[in-house]
Amino acid sequence: MCEHEGGIAAVGTEGAGLGRDDVECAARRLAGRVWRTPVVRCDRLDALAGTRLWLKAENLQRGGSFKTRGALLAVERLAAAGSRGVVAQSTGNHAIAVALAARAHGLPAVLVLPDDAVATKVDLIREAGAEIAFAGTLLAERTAMVEKIQDLRGYDVVDPYQNRDVVMGQGTATAELIGQVRAEGGRLDAVVVPIGGGSAIAGACLAAAGEDMAVVGAEPEAVASFTAALRAGRPVTVPAGYTIADGLRPDRTGSLPFDLAHGTVASVVRVSEVAIEGALRAALLHARLLIEPAAATALAAALDHAAGFGADVGVVLTGGNVEADLVTSLLSRPDVPS
Amino acid sequence: MCEHEGGIAAVGTEGAGLGRDDVECAARRLAGRVWRTPVVRCDRLDALAGTRLWLKAENLQRGGSFKTRGALLAVERLAAAGSRGVVAQSTGNHAIAVALAARAHGLPAVLVLPDDAVATKVDLIREAGAEIAFAGTLLAERTAMVEKIQDLRGYDVVDPYQNRDVVMGQGTATAELIGQVRAEGGRLDAVVVPIGGGSAIAGACLAAAGEDMAVVGAEPEAVASFTAALRAGRPVTVPAGYTIADGLRPDRTGSLPFDLAHGTVASVVRVSEVAIEGALRAALLHARLLIEPAAATALAAALDHAAGFGADVGVVLTGGNVEADLVTSLLSRPDVPS
């Protein structure tokens, strides 16, 4: 096992020492435990984007999202260190991933979710046998609850953004994508990744190091926390407007991901709600993939802007845990473009 | 190019000389022209089936179905022989495939569809620039129309069942599946394939030759034409009951596919409409794949019976060209199991 200390340094130096080698090491640790998800091509989406899109279908990942990668590594390390249980806050997918990883290691787990967590995700966490606590709708409310449970029970925290194992694990999705495109004789000019708390984009920046490839972020207009952080030069809490992209609702970027990503990210696309809806529908009807709104945010950015990014553009479709009702509603509405 | 004469011999000897080598040759001819579609694994579907399922996602194929494989080979051969145009009958997917292949070779194409062809498929054919003629709802009505067009225009017929290129091309989907499972260190005990006119199951039988692997067919209870053919010892026309599996509505198995498959197929599962609906919904919500009812027929057979077939069972998800309205309706109905 390749080793890294889990401790977090002072803000601004948190990413120190982390590099592409760590992502490659994480990939070796994960081999055979997560699906090597396919890279899907779709002529009709290429036509809409005006360029070649390579869709990394992490919606087909175990637990329904790429978050399974980082959580497996983080929980494995804690279990090896004799942890008595784990606690984590999440909008949903990281919680599912931690619940599955805890079950695999025989550890109890408490997952702290927002009151407006989507039912599909809550069901998957319950199915994995974990305990759930609800705490408001804001990141700060969930974090406070996590600290309380940590104190009360002595459980270890698996933070979705501030954990090096998590960031490295998330980076393996982009690293796999790069390798899979290369195996097909291609080379990516850019990769588009959605931004919630920041672990996906930070992992992508690590994976893309030395690749001469632009890393592009996509976030909802309604919660443009990474754009705000770039402007401020540090993570800031933004007013949380409503977005259907429940996975991208965190109102503040993590400082570790910001530290790792801010100097590398080529641009950040802010995506409207109607574009997220249209991309979700287009993925379903054209690429025949069910993706959740967070993944659709990245696809929407690619459909509108990828032609400017180059001839070959990767898109990390981060997850597929979406409400049946939302799909029904989007398919029924003739005003949603696709 | 590996050669085979296209002529059809007397019934009972039509498959003479066709073997697994021909499928391997077809795969080489198709390399780089069709997607090498992924094999998808899904823990929740495995749990429902009680065994490991390996889902060959031909719903992600160019043109939305595995039919693209055979049509490309058949139209290529005709184009090379100086064809002035092609005509084909189909419930939809073969027509899409022939339209795309004809466009690639600069040939005009007329596609003969049933009056109840699904709108998604009709749209894809129009998008490919082909001409469409509608002819009743029965296979015999479409075949008569094809002969008329053949006489009037001198176009070459690309039959969806009675054409060796088509059957060999369709077989490459199963051959790829076998190879992909092997590359993951697995070995299939069985493969489940839907039966409409029979090209998929015939191709699967060719691909599975020498593999010590059961080939299982799945057809709707409402149009159990292969079961009837097995009983009669030859293809027979059956009363066409209503099935949502539009791709499996042909009321008679082709004689070439029957000739190739009848001695090899291990069993045929007749699937109820409610099971087809449930499998389509399960594929979407659990595996995050949009599949059409024909593919769901194979998945339904696997969910109900695969545990009896062995530890590793392949399912060819033949296509994904499905109406948005049908998806909406299945997702909205609490009575559809998934």
Side-chain angles (χ1 to χ4, degrees):
Chain A
M1 186 161 130
C2 356
E3 274 308 317
H4 251 289
E5 290 309 310
I8 297 296
V11 175
T13 61
E14 294 179 34
L18 274 183
R20 186 164 155 190
D21 287 354
D22 299 292
V23 176
E24 283 164 12
C25 165
R28 287 194 296 276
R29 286 170 65 195
L30 286 172
R33 299 160 69 195
V34 295
W35 304 134
R36 187 174 167 83
T37 57
V39 174
V40 172
R41 295 288 319 279
C42 173
D43 294 317
R44 296 179 98 192
L45 291 184
D46 285 1
L48 288 174
T51 195
R52 269 189 300 275
L53 299 182
W54 303 77
L55 309 172
K56 178 64 172 166
E58 285 288 301
N59 59 320
L60 308 181
Q61 188 51 269
R62 287 196 140 135
S65 91
F66 79 123
K67 297 268 181 176
T68 301
R69 297 171 177 267
L72 268 175
L73 298 181
V75 173
E76 175 191 58
R77 189 184 300 278
L78 293 169
S83 177
R84 65 166 68 172
V86 291
V87 57
Q89 70 80 19
S90 162
T91 55
N93 281 336
H94 176 65
I96 297 165
V98 170
L100 290 170
R103 187 177 65 180
H105 286 282
L107 290 179
V110 184
L111 286 319
V112 181
L113 300 179
D115 293 334
D116 58 358
V118 302
T120 300
K121 295 180 179 177
V122 176
D123 292 346
L124 284 167
I125 297 162
R126 290 220 169 92
E127 213 174 87
E131 206 177 317
I132 297 176
F134 292 97
T137 58
L138 301 177
L139 177 55
E141 296 171 288
R142 296 197 295 280
T143 308
M145 174 76 91
V146 165
E147 285 170 8
K148 204 166 123 189
I149 293 165
Q150 182 184 24
D151 288 347
L152 277 170
R153 304 212 191 170
Y155 284 4
D156 293 299
V157 179
V158 187
D159 195 276
Y161 328 122
Q162 300 299 98
N163 181 303
R164 285 172 171 235
D165 277 316
V166 167
V167 170
M168 291 186 291
Q170 286 12 358
T172 62
T174 300
E176 257 180 37
L177 166 62
I178 293 169
Q180 287 166 305
V181 173
R182 191 173 288 132
E184 297 286 323
R187 202 195 67 76
L188 292 181
D189 297 301
V191 62
V192 186
V193 182
I195 308 181
S199 65
I201 192 95
C205 287
L206 290 175
E211 284 287 338
D212 187 24
M213 182 180 97
V215 178
V216 176
E219 62 183 359
E221 277 176 1
V223 194
S225 54
F226 197 82
T227 301
L230 284 177
R231 283 184 188 148
R234 61 183 172 77
V236 290
T237 301
V238 297
Y242 179 77
T243 174
I244 60 163
D246 61 289
L248 309 184
R249 284 180 195 154
D251 51 355
R252 186 185 179 96
T253 307
S255 54
L256 172 62
F258 183 76
D259 195 27
L260 288 166
H262 78 278
T264 302
V265 166
S267 63
V268 179
V269 179
R270 278 165 294 159
V271 182
S272 71
E273 292 297 296
V274 68
I276 297 172
E277 292 174 343
L280 197 156
R281 186 176 152 123
L284 189 60
L285 297 181
H286 299 329
R288 286 98 181 174
L289 292 174
L290 183 64
I291 61 175
E292 63 179 89
T297 304
L299 180 60
L303 290 177
D304 279 352
H305 300 282
F309 301 155
D312 290 277
V313 176
V315 185
V316 183
L317 300 178
T318 44
N321 292 322
V322 59
E323 303 302 277
D325 285 354
L326 177 63
V327 178
T328 305
S329 130
L330 291 182
L331 289 180
S332 310
R333 282 171 44 198
D335 59 310
V336 176
S338 62
Chain B
M1 186 162 132
C2 355
E3 274 308 317
H4 250 291
E5 290 307 312
I8 298 297
V11 175
T13 61
E14 294 179 34
L18 274 184
R20 188 164 154 191
D21 288 354
D22 299 292
V23 176
E24 284 163 13
C25 165
R28 288 193 295 277
R29 285 171 64 194
L30 286 173
R33 298 159 70 194
V34 295
W35 305 133
R36 187 173 167 84
T37 57
V39 174
V40 172
R41 295 288 318 279
C42 172
D43 294 317
R44 298 180 96 192
L45 291 184
D46 284 2
L48 287 173
T51 195
R52 269 189 300 276
L53 300 183
W54 304 78
L55 309 171
K56 178 64 171 165
E58 285 287 303
N59 58 320
L60 308 182
Q61 189 51 268
R62 288 197 138 135
S65 91
F66 80 122
K67 297 268 182 177
T68 300
R69 296 169 179 269
L72 267 176
L73 299 181
V75 173
E76 174 190 59
R77 189 184 302 278
L78 292 169
S83 176
R84 64 164 69 172
V86 291
V87 56
Q89 69 79 19
S90 162
T91 56
N93 281 335
H94 176 66
I96 297 166
V98 169
L100 289 171
R103 187 177 64 179
H105 286 284
L107 289 179
V110 184
L111 286 319
V112 180
L113 300 178
D115 292 334
D116 58 359
V118 301
T120 300
K121 294 180 179 177
V122 176
D123 291 347
L124 284 167
I125 297 162
R126 290 221 170 92
E127 213 175 86
E131 204 176 318
I132 297 176
F134 292 97
T137 58
L138 302 176
L139 177 56
E141 294 171 288
R142 297 198 293 282
T143 308
M145 174 76 90
V146 164
E147 285 170 7
K148 204 166 123 188
I149 292 164
Q150 182 185 25
D151 287 347
L152 277 171
R153 305 212 191 170
Y155 284 4
D156 292 299
V157 178
V158 186
D159 195 275
Y161 328 122
Q162 300 298 97
N163 180 302
R164 287 173 169 233
D165 278 315
V166 167
V167 170
M168 291 185 291
Q170 285 15 353
T172 63
T174 300
E176 257 180 36
L177 167 61
I178 294 169
Q180 286 166 306
V181 173
R182 190 172 288 132
E184 298 287 322
R187 203 195 66 77
L188 293 180
D189 297 301
V191 62
V192 186
V193 182
I195 308 181
S199 65
I201 193 96
C205 287
L206 290 176
E211 285 287 337
D212 188 24
M213 183 181 96
V215 178
V216 176
E219 62 183 358
E221 278 177 2
V223 194
S225 54
F226 197 82
T227 302
L230 285 176
R231 283 182 187 149
R234 61 184 171 77
V236 290
T237 302
V238 296
Y242 178 76
T243 174
I244 60 162
D246 61 289
L248 308 184
R249 284 180 194 154
D251 52 355
R252 185 185 179 96
T253 307
S255 55
L256 172 63
F258 182 76
D259 195 27
L260 287 165
H262 79 278
T264 301
V265 167
S267 62
V268 179
V269 179
R270 279 164 294 159
V271 182
S272 71
E273 292 298 297
V274 69
I276 297 172
E277 291 175 344
L280 196 155
R281 187 177 151 123
L284 189 60
L285 297 181
H286 299 330
R288 287 97 181 175
L289 292 174
L290 182 65
I291 61 174
E292 63 179 271
T297 304
L299 179 59
L303 291 177
D304 280 350
H305 300 281
F309 300 156
D312 291 277
V313 176
V315 184
V316 183
L317 300 178
T318 44
N321 292 322
V322 58
E323 303 301 279
D325 284 355
L326 176 64
V327 178
T328 306
S329 130
L330 291 182
L331 290 179
S332 311
R333 282 171 45 197
D335 60 311
V336 176
S338 62

